[in-house]
Structure formats: C-alpha cells, structure tokens
Amino acid sequence: MRVADEISGLAFEKNRDIDDRIEAAQARLAKLVQDAPRDEWIEAHEGMLAHTQVLEDRAAGKIRSWATGLADLDEFLEGGLRPGGLYIIGARPAQGKTALAMTIGLHMAQDYGVGFLSMEMPHRELRDRMTAMLGRVSLSSVMRPNRGDGLAWDRVMDGVDRAKNLNFRVSDQGGLNINQVRAKARALKRTRGLDVLVVDYIGLMSGLDAKAPRAYQLEEISRGLKSLAKELEIAVICLAQVNRKVEERVDATPALSDLRDSGAIEQDADVVLFVHRPIQAKPEMSPEWKHYAKLSVAKNRQGRCGRISLFYQGDQTRFDGWGGDAPQATLPQKAPAPRGFSADARF
C-alpha cells in the first residue's frame, strides 16, 4: 500500500522526466521482493554449512557456468559467464569488440536468453553481420551480392535456419541512460526471458545529469550495470573503448589504466578483457599474423589473469579458438586453421 501511494505521487511530479519516474516506479515494485524480512547477518558456520549444498550441486552438474563457446576463455572464467557478473570487453576501434561480443552472444543464445543493445550500429548492419557469421559467408558478398562470385544463397538460408533456434534479441535505440537500460532489461526478462545482456558500448550511453562531468556519468553507468546484473541475476557484457595512448607502446596491448574516461569501470567489473589484433596496428606484418588476435584477461575477480590466442575470421567478423602456438615476430610460420568452438557448440 505504501509503494502504491509512492507511485501515485510520482505521477504528479511533472517537473521530473517521465523516464526517470517510470524507472523509480519499477524500482519500488522490484524492491518489494527484496525487502522480505530476513536476517542479513549470517554466521560463518551456518553460511559454510549451507554452501556445502552448492558445492554438491556443482559437482553433480546441477549448477553450471554459462559457456561462451571459446574454450580457452571458458578455462580462465572457470567454465564461462556467471549470473550477477559484469564483463567488460575493451579495445581500440576496429579491433573486434563487437565481433567478439556477437560471437559469444550468438553461441550462448542457443541455450540462454540474450539481449543485445546496439547503440552504435542499426538493425540492418547487425543483420548483415549475423548473416555473415551464421551463414559462414563473406560480409563483403553480403554488402555487395552482385559483385564477383555473388552471394552463396544456400549458406545464407542455412544461417537463417540456425537463427530459428537462437534466443537472441536486438534493440538499436541509441543514447540510452542507465534507467532506460534497466527498464529495457527488466521488461525483456519479464516477458521473454533474459540471461545475458550485451551493451555496445558504454561510451555511447548518456548520463542522467547531462551537466555532470563525463567521469561521473560513466561511474554512474558502470555501477548501475553491475547493480542490474545482481538484481536480475544476469550476466552483463559491456563494451568499452581504450585510450589512444596504448598505440604508442611497442606491443600496443591495453591495460586496465587505459579504459577511457573513468577508473570506475575497472573497479566495478568482475572481469575485464582486452582485444588486440597486431596486424591491425601494423599492416606490414607477415601473413601468419592475418587471423591472429590476442585476448588479455586483465582482471578476473574469481580466477586467474593471462593471455589467450584467438582466430579472427575477418571476412565473416567472427572469432574462433586458435589452434597451435601464437606466431612469433622473428620466426614466421603458417597460420593454423581455427580450432573452432568448444565441443558443445552448435551454430
């Protein structure tokens, strides 16, 4: 009754933005479940005793992390993504942030509900990429089907058939603030189910106060995304750009301090991944580097950090696992074929 009165009062606050009032109303309703009377302080022995059941369920396979489809990454993440986690993918422009997020998202959409908030690319451009990825056809032939050998329509239709089994939904509304993202995620979770939310990308999101410093706005956004992941028990993958200074280094590999405009992003994230394709920064490199991409696990709250080699299929804008050793600058070697997704991958 008290919450109903508060929501009724919100309707009359005409000097307040309507989106802000809707978000406040939804937050009050959601909090009713969270506010059920309970003792928040739990004794160590009591908590550990209860946790043994969780360990037994993990051992029995009843509780599993959500595989990304990239086997080496899943090893670092102790099996994959987990509900309540905020995962940051950072890189300089044109290094493959969106391609990596879509590779993971399309794989996970076979078994889980995935929402993709594309604030950079419209629906048509995303569908071009999905056609290339799912149909295993060149993006160039998708963009210009009347050129050269034309478009392999049989593969395109195979991709369309694969899409039937994917729980993958896209919104291309731009300039969202954290309240609008919350509202979209809650609605999708309630109506169609949501396990993984991809935000592309944090730099295009708006702050609630347009006059506030950008660093403060990003802090508000990153903390809001982490709070949303915990509230809805979903995994949130958020893309971010890194500073230009990284290009001045010898290997041009980003570090946590390179995340643009705010240190709050690295603080709030459970896992921070950086994508770097050396040949993109140095086109004169030898052919064995053409498909090589380096994925750095720079922060991992529940696991180890390190570097992973990935195979980037540029014409199809997708990533696979890298088979064999990484190429060496002084010892050229033939680039291996992609190792592919983990054994349970089906798209």
Side-chain angles (χ1 to χ4, degrees):
M1 291 173 64
R2 176 174 56 81
V3 169
D5 288 340
E6 291 174 356
I7 293 175
S8 179
L10 286 170
F12 293 95
E13 295 183 17
K14 296 186 178 180
N15 60 336
R16 191 171 173 183
D17 184 75
I18 183 64
D19 289 333
D20 185 35
R21 284 184 279 167
I22 291 173
E23 158 62 21
Q26 291 177 330
R28 282 166 170 75
L29 289 171
K31 201 168 183 295
L32 286 176
V33 178
Q34 301 172 7
D35 284 346
R38 61 192 177 105
D39 186 359
E40 295 182 357
W41 296 95
I42 300 175
E43 296 289 343
H45 178 260
E46 178 187 351
M48 291 297 292
L49 193 61
H51 196 62
T52 58
Q53 182 60 51
V54 176
L55 300 181
E56 289 181 7
D57 289 343
R58 285 177 183 168
K62 296 179 181 178
I63 299 179
R64 300 177 58 190
S65 48
W66 304 338
T68 65
L70 298 169
D72 290 338
L73 176 58
D74 289 338
E75 281 297 312
F76 272 83
L77 301 181
E78 301 299 339
L81 307 188
R82 298 179 186 276
L86 174 60
Y87 300 82
I88 300 294
I89 298 177
R92 290 293 299 151
Q95 292 289 336
K97 296 187 300 295
T98 302
L100 180 58
M102 288 190 68
T103 297
I104 294 173
L106 288 172
H107 170 80
M108 299 187 71
Q110 298 167 105
D111 300 304
Y112 308 100
V114 178
F116 197 102
L117 293 177
S118 176
M119 284 172 266
E120 185 174 30
M121 292 188 291
H123 279 299
R124 180 176 295 177
E125 292 183 12
L126 281 171
R127 288 169 186 156
D128 283 339
R129 288 195 174 212
M130 289 176 66
T131 301
M133 295 174 75
L134 295 176
R136 297 295 196 264
V137 295
S138 166
L139 180 60
S140 177
S141 66
V142 173
M143 300 290 294
R144 303 174 69 181
N146 295 327
R147 181 188 179 193
D149 296 332
L151 184 59
W153 283 102
D154 55 339
R155 292 192 199 173
V156 171
M157 297 314 297
D158 285 343
V160 173
D161 287 338
R162 291 190 184 102
K164 290 179 182 178
N165 300 318
L166 299 181
N167 192 357
F168 188 89
R169 296 178 174 88
V170 178
S171 170
D172 67 350
Q173 183 179 348
L176 299 173
N177 61 41
I178 188 59
N179 285 346
Q180 292 170 320
V181 170
R182 282 197 194 103
K184 282 180 169 289
R186 285 171 180 158
L188 184 56
K189 176 85 172 181
R190 184 179 65 254
T191 58
R192 300 183 181 181
L194 176 65
D195 301 298
V196 181
L197 178 68
V198 181
V199 179
D200 184 13
Y201 63 95
I202 194 171
L204 294 178
M205 289 185 64
S206 304
L208 295 177
D209 182 359
K211 298 180 180 179
R214 186 56 179 166
Y216 174 81
Q217 294 180 25
L218 289 174
E219 179 179 347
E220 171 188 75
I221 293 168
S222 66
R223 290 183 179 173
L225 291 174
K226 174 59 180 176
S227 175
L228 179 65
K230 293 176 66 177
E231 174 194 335
L232 298 185
E233 294 187 330
I234 62 175
V236 175
I237 300 174
C238 182
L239 278 54
Q241 286 197 7
V242 299
N243 293 318
R244 188 182 298 274
K245 289 182 179 180
V246 69
E247 297 175 354
E248 300 172 3
R249 299 184 195 137
V250 175
D251 65 351
T253 301
L256 288 173
S257 58
D258 294 317
L259 286 169
R260 180 176 287 181
D261 297 327
S262 176
I265 299 174
E266 63 176 282
Q267 293 174 15
D268 297 326
D270 295 281
V271 174
V272 178
L273 307 171
F274 290 115
V275 187
H276 176 58
R277 289 192 289 131
I279 201 168
Q280 186 71 13
K282 299 179 180 179
E284 69 277 8
M285 297 181 78
S286 51
E288 64 266 21
W289 293 88
K290 178 180 179 181
H291 297 288
Y292 180 76
K294 177 169 56 180
L295 183 65
S296 300
V297 184
K299 178 183 178 182
N300 189 358
R301 189 165 283 163
Q302 290 286 79
R304 60 194 172 98
C305 297
R307 293 183 177 180
I308 300 166
S309 295
L310 295 178
F311 187 102
Y312 180 64
Q313 189 68 41
D315 62 333
Q316 299 174 14
T317 64
R318 63 180 175 86
F319 284 87
D320 286 329
W322 180 271
D325 297 329
Q328 301 295 322
T330 56
L331 296 173
Q333 53 184 282
K334 185 178 179 181
R339 187 178 65 190
F341 287 109
S342 53
D344 63 342
R346 295 187 296 278
F347 91 83

